[in-house]
Amino acid sequence: MDYLTRFHNLARLHFSFGRIAETIDGAIHLKSENEHLPAGTPLPNHLLPTYRLVQSALVLTVVQYARPFSNNKNSEGSNFSFPSKATKSLKSKHQKIIDLRNKAIAHTDGGFQKKLEGIEIRIENSGPNANTIGYRWEENYLSLPEIDLPEYRALVGYVHDKVIREKMLGVASEMGLEPGF
């Protein structure tokens, strides 16, 4: 693969990790606005599309994050590995995300999918909403199973700012360029 293609692929990856960080930041913000709600509180109907969209985007970040570390030949980051010099804590968080990605792809039905969706769908049996389907706030909404969002955000920042950027600088140096970023 020529230098320009390698640099272009890394630049796309760098951009992608920036978008992952923005998605996590949005989920953290939206979740903080609703943490006071007890589990089981009905979600306001006008906000439901926003919640669903952010939760779906959050799940997608796991797939995007894992892509360069997969052994898929079509992956932009083929032969991309998590740095061995990273701290044990970062390596552990990285592996959690990779494991979550593998479960999210392989187990899209049953209980694990409910964990990914983060909300409970209930059919109301009594009261003014009898026989209607309602979505209720759950404590794990706008989150990922077993993943702390601020820690995930820090991991994404590490990969974005340190790992990918360093690889980009290395390719630019091989090309005889002095990068200005």
Side-chain angles (χ1 to χ4, degrees), residues 31-137:
K31 185 171 184 166
S32 71
E33 291 182 348
N34 295 291
E35 284 184 323
H36 66 282
L37 296 175
T41 301
L43 289 173
N45 286 336
H46 70 283
L47 291 178
L48 187 58
T50 301
Y51 288 65
R52 301 280 302 179
L53 183 63
V54 172
Q55 183 66 27
S56 296
L58 195 55
V59 172
L60 181 60
T61 68
V62 172
V63 176
Q64 286 180 292
Y65 176 92
R67 183 175 291 133
F69 301 103
S70 75
N71 293 323
N72 184 344
K73 291 181 182 177
N74 294 326
S75 175
E76 292 172 7
S78 56
N79 299 323
F80 203 84
S81 60
F82 198 76
S84 58
K85 64 183 178 183
T87 66
K88 189 174 183 178
S89 175
L90 282 172
K91 288 178 187 175
S92 172
K93 290 170 188 151
H94 168 77
Q95 192 57 52
K96 273 186 169 183
I97 297 298
I98 299 301
D99 291 346
L100 180 59
R101 181 260 183 196
N102 293 337
K103 287 180 187 177
I105 297 300
H107 303 289
T108 57
D109 58 322
F112 193 79
Q113 186 64 25
K114 183 178 176 184
K115 285 182 181 180
L116 284 177
E117 290 175 1
I119 60 173
E120 183 177 341
I121 301 170
R122 295 183 184 169
I123 298 178
E124 301 293 335
N125 293 323
S126 61
N129 296 325
N131 299 320
T132 61
I133 297 175
Y135 294 90
R136 298 199 176 267
W137 175 262

